[in-house]
Every structure is written in C-alpha cells, then in structure tokens.
Amino acid sequence: QAFLWVTSTLNVAVFRDHLVLEDLVEEMKKQSPDLSFGPLQHDGKVAVQGSFPALRVLREFLLLKAKSLSEEDKREGKSHQRPRRKLQEHRGATELRNSTGDAHREKQVLVLDTDIYLYMRSFHPRAFQGKDVVISGVTDGDITTVCIESAGSKAGAAQGSRAKKMIENYSIELQKILWKERICFKERSRAEKQRYKQLWERLKARYPKVLSIPYDTHLDVVGTSADVFGFTEEVKR
C-alpha cells in the first residue's frame, strides 16, 4: 500500500446557516477537479478522495470561506449593536482581553496521513521541535491534523512557517518511499499472538527503520518497500 491516495470525510454542516450545502459541494468540485466526491449526506458529511496536496488545497479553500463568512457576521453584528448597560461593560472588556491574547498566537494547520505522522514522530522527531513553537497532533482514523502554534510576532510567524515547511517536506518525501503491510491475526489464539509480538520485538533490531504499529486484530508495518517485504517475509516463515 502506497501513500498516494486517501479518503477523508468532510463535515460541511457548519455552513448550513449561510449557504446551500448542495451549491457549496458543487463549488468544491469546481475548485478541486482532481478530487473525487461522494454524495452529500443528510448530516452534512461528504466523503472526498484524492492526494494529500489536493486535499490540502481544498481545506485552505474551506478555511478561507469560513473566515469570510465570519467577517460578514461581525459586520452585520456591528450594524445592529445597541448601547451596553454598565453591567455588561466588564464582561465585554474581559472578552476583548481574551481575544486580544489569542491574537498573539498564530496557528497553522496541516493534514497528514496518520501512518506517515507516526513514522515521522518515531524517526524524524526534530520535525516536531522548533524554537518558540508548539506542535500538536489530533488523530481521527487515517487522518492526523497537526497544529503549529507560534508567537504572533514577525519572528514567531517565521518560526511557525519554517516548522510547517519542514513537516510538509518530510511528508512529501515519505509519501514517495513508504509502504505499509498489514498482518492480521484476529483468528489466532492468545498464545500465538504473544509469540508474534515476541518475534516482532526481535525483528526490530534487524529492521531499525521499520515502524510496527500493533492493534488488537492486526499489526501494521510501515517502512521502505525492501524493509517491509523483508520484515513480513520473516514473520510468515
């Protein structure tokens, strides 16, 4: 299995109060002709298939649209504001301070294949370390969303951009060389599963660049095609 084609489920229900969702999906199709779209579900979810670069472009498109709609709401809200009573002034000042504090942090988001993310975490940890940046990941099945937070200053923004670029470059290179093999053992006995785990631990020394991800019913093996082939063949023998 090569990391060239993935499926992601998008929830566009957040746009329901502003847009006709069917029209939004049609706009998304025109914006990203290289992607394949499933039918729009009643709950506002739609499955999308394609490459990671194409999915990233679609994500940026939706983020910009959400931002523009949010700015429209703010403008409309200002035009209908009423004078505040003194009881509300303190709460409003607190909200303003909080939002100003958030403005001093800049956030950038990347979407990665979960296996590539885990491989990078294991073998390229420096990609997730940077001066004055905080990098975190939230995994949802096959997709992991990486959030890069940096200081809102010019220097902080530059640090965040460098960190994002490094992760992107590693991701692109790993997509070209990594393969995944799944070894299933859901029909095995507990003793057999234990022997498998002992074998995998011994093989780690012989294949130090292979990432093995254990689950209850299977083991995912991630690495170069040669390493993955050698690892799985030894397990089969």
Side-chain angles (χ1 to χ4, degrees):
Q1 178 180 354
F3 299 95
L4 300 176
W5 188 268
V6 295
T7 300
S8 178
T9 300
L10 301 179
N11 189 345
V12 295
V14 293
F15 295 98
R16 197 186 299 275
D17 293 337
H18 301 85
L19 302 169
V20 178
L21 296 188
E22 289 77 4
D23 293 343
L24 175 61
V25 172
E26 290 302 316
E27 188 177 357
M28 290 160 56
K29 290 178 180 179
K30 293 178 182 178
Q31 173 72 23
S32 304
D34 295 333
L35 294 175
S36 176
F37 291 80
L40 177 64
Q41 304 298 321
H42 293 299
D43 58 359
K45 294 181 180 179
V46 58
V48 185
Q49 286 186 332
S51 66
F52 272 106
L55 283 171
R56 278 197 289 264
V57 171
L58 178 61
R59 181 185 180 86
E60 293 300 321
F61 165 74
L62 291 174
L63 288 174
L64 287 174
K65 183 168 286 292
K67 183 178 180 181
S68 66
L69 291 173
S70 176
E71 290 174 349
E72 286 181 9
D73 285 346
K74 289 179 181 178
R75 288 194 295 269
E76 291 177 1
K78 286 181 180 178
S79 64
H80 293 88
Q81 278 182 349
R82 296 178 179 177
R84 293 175 180 266
R85 294 185 300 168
K86 288 187 177 181
L87 183 63
Q88 297 174 318
E89 287 175 357
H90 176 72
R91 184 180 64 183
T94 303
E95 291 170 352
L96 179 61
R97 287 196 296 271
N98 288 340
S99 62
T100 303
D102 291 340
H104 292 302
R105 303 292 297 177
E106 180 172 304
K107 293 184 181 180
Q108 300 188 66
V109 175
L110 282 170
V111 180
L112 302 178
D113 178 278
T114 294
D115 293 317
I116 288 180
Y117 169 76
L118 294 175
Y119 193 92
M120 290 174 64
R121 277 288 188 186
S122 296
F123 299 107
H124 303 286
R126 291 184 61 185
F128 298 94
Q129 301 168 1
K131 183 180 179 182
D132 299 326
V133 296
V134 177
I135 303 175
S136 58
V138 178
T139 297
D140 182 11
D142 293 334
I143 300 295
T144 294
T145 302
V146 177
C147 180
I148 304 167
E149 294 187 74
S150 58
S153 63
K154 186 175 181 180
Q159 292 285 357
S161 296
R162 277 195 289 270
K164 180 182 178 182
K165 189 64 177 177
M166 180 181 292
I167 296 173
E168 284 181 330
N169 289 340
Y170 270 122
S171 174
I172 291 171
E173 291 304 312
L174 291 174
Q175 284 180 39
K176 297 176 182 177
I177 64 172
L178 289 184
W179 288 74
K180 180 172 78 172
E181 185 78 23
R182 176 163 294 179
I183 303 173
C184 297
F185 50 83
K186 60 182 179 180
E187 301 299 331
R188 309 283 181 178
S189 66
R190 181 176 298 180
E192 286 177 312
K193 291 180 182 179
Q194 186 61 34
R195 285 198 295 271
Y196 266 115
K197 291 179 181 179
Q198 292 172 353
L199 172 61
W200 298 331
E201 290 299 323
R202 292 198 300 270
L203 288 176
K204 282 183 180 180
R206 298 183 59 181
Y207 298 93
K209 290 299 184 180
V210 166
L211 174 66
S212 56
I213 311 172
Y215 297 92
D216 290 338
T217 58
H218 62 272
L219 176 81
D220 283 343
V221 183
V222 182
T224 64
S225 58
D227 282 346
V228 168
F229 178 80
F231 188 101
T232 54
E233 284 299 303
E234 293 207 36
V235 171
K236 292 176 182 178
R237 287 199 295 269

